[in-house]
Amino acid sequence: MVRTIQAEQITQEVAQMCKEAAYYLPGDVFAALERGRLSEKSPVGREVLDQIITNAKIAKEEDRPICQDTGMTIVFVELGQDVHIEGGNLNDAINAGVAKGYNEGYLRKSVVAEPLFDRKNTQDNTPAVIYTEIVPGDKLTIQVEPKGFGSENKSGLKMLVPADGVKGVKKAVMDIILHASCNPCPPMVVGIGIGGTMDRAAVMSKKALLRPTNVRNAHPEYAKLEEELLELINQTGIGPQLGGTTSALAVNIEWGPTHIAGLPVAVTICCHACRHSKRVL
């Protein structure tokens, strides 16, 4: 049986998700900030974390953006093979939802239509960056991830070779983190993609940011690497913007098959406002 979902429903849901993601910090991220506040050794770091936590509370209570940079909208879609979209194109419906949400929510429009010469603002934060995967079933899962560019600009990619191994991966990640320093508005959430191709690793690193900060990778060796990298990052002294021991709240790794000659490593850094929202239709 084919299940029909109206394009207009998708638009309405995406619009609401954009506002929710901008206003409401996910519970796991908020809890991680509170844990960081308790363990932070620097008085200045504790003060910064107090301000970040207060800001998140005000944003939630007053339906206001957590940050003025409401991001470029990344959308991950899992489309059931038994779903039929009626009344419009899926991508068009999503982009209409982004435009509606950013306009209704008074969210900053940050997207330019052409990146190098004219750089004219599209005025509605579209087009979104949409990744669609066809999956079994009759459900449509949509995850919206607004990505601010203070942290995006400090993300990076390293094309390693298999001989570099775990040591090389750690060095690659830490080189990117140390280069970023305090610029991505830490404490950070660090998404890492290992494997695939250059582009696939980058997408995996973005998707890694959707996983709750308190959930480790199901593969024990990758879970251990997540913990080791988090410890290394928190030993840098970067801290919450002005120095301290809470440089990152979590390191999330996603991995995938790759070529026998390759070991791509992509690192997407997210600021403390690790925002996302999810719907299953």
Side-chain angles (χ1 to χ4, degrees):
M1 294 290 292
V2 174
R3 177 167 170 258
T4 298
I5 297 177
Q6 298 296 322
E8 178 60 24
Q9 181 185 1
I10 296 169
T11 294
Q12 295 295 333
E13 294 288 353
V14 169
Q16 186 60 30
M17 291 164 70
C18 288
K19 289 182 280 186
E20 287 176 5
Y23 302 157
Y24 313 138
L25 195 65
D28 64 284
V29 180
F30 188 82
L33 285 167
E34 291 187 314
R35 288 195 301 273
R37 170 61 179 81
L38 290 174
S39 63
E40 176 58 53
K41 293 181 172 58
S42 163
V44 174
R46 289 195 294 272
E47 176 63 26
V48 170
L49 286 166
D50 282 338
Q51 293 181 18
I52 290 172
I53 290 167
T54 299
N55 178 76
K57 289 179 178 178
I58 293 171
K60 183 176 181 179
E61 291 166 0
E62 300 186 7
D63 286 353
R64 297 178 184 271
I66 299 165
C67 175
Q68 79 279 0
D69 183 356
T70 49
M72 189 167 190
T73 314
I74 302 170
V75 183
F76 286 94
V77 177
E78 292 182 359
L79 176 63
Q81 63 184 11
D82 297 324
V83 172
H84 170 65
I85 309 299
E86 186 175 74
N89 173 276
L90 175 60
N91 283 8
D92 289 346
I94 290 171
N95 279 314
V98 171
K100 179 178 174 65
Y102 273 73
N103 281 310
E104 289 181 350
Y106 300 99
L107 309 180
R108 193 182 83 185
K109 291 83 173 177
S110 304
V111 174
V112 296
E114 183 277 318
L116 184 57
F117 298 104
D118 294 333
R119 292 188 65 86
K120 184 177 179 181
N121 197 298
T122 63
Q123 299 298 319
D124 59 9
N125 224 59
T126 68
V129 178
I130 304 172
Y131 298 105
T132 302
E133 181 181 0
I134 306 299
V135 299
D138 63 354
K139 305 293 184 185
L140 174 62
T141 301
I142 304 173
Q143 296 190 80
V144 168
E145 182 181 33
K147 188 64 177 68
F149 261 63
S151 55
E152 182 72 7
N153 282 341
K154 295 302 177 180
S155 301
L157 174 74
K158 301 284 188 177
M159 298 301 291
L160 306 182
V161 296
D164 290 319
V166 173
K167 183 178 179 180
V169 170
K170 287 182 178 180
K171 183 180 185 305
V173 172
M174 294 308 297
D175 283 350
I176 292 168
I177 294 295
L178 290 170
H179 176 72
S181 186
C182 62
N183 292 291
C185 296
M188 305 168 255
V189 178
V190 181
I192 300 174
I194 301 176
T197 54
M198 178 185 70
D199 52 313
R200 179 61 181 163
V203 174
M204 287 191 292
S205 73
K206 287 285 190 300
K207 200 166 186 179
L209 294 174
L210 298 172
R211 193 199 323 151
T213 55
N214 57 352
V215 176
R216 299 279 55 80
N217 194 289
H219 190 299
E221 290 180 308
Y222 284 98
K224 181 184 177 186
L225 182 57
E226 289 174 338
E227 293 170 355
E228 290 173 347
L229 284 167
L230 179 60
E231 183 177 355
L232 287 171
I233 294 169
N234 284 332
Q235 289 173 353
T236 61
I238 293 169
Q241 315 223 31
L242 298 174
T245 56
T246 312
S247 303
L249 302 176
V251 173
N252 290 354
I253 298 173
E254 296 296 323
W255 57 274
T258 192
H259 190 275
I260 57 172
L263 182 58
V265 178
V267 178
T268 293
I269 299 175
C270 189
C271 66
H272 58 80
C274 188
R275 301 162 289 184
H276 45 86
S277 183
K278 181 179 179 179
R279 290 286 193 283
V280 180
L281 306 183

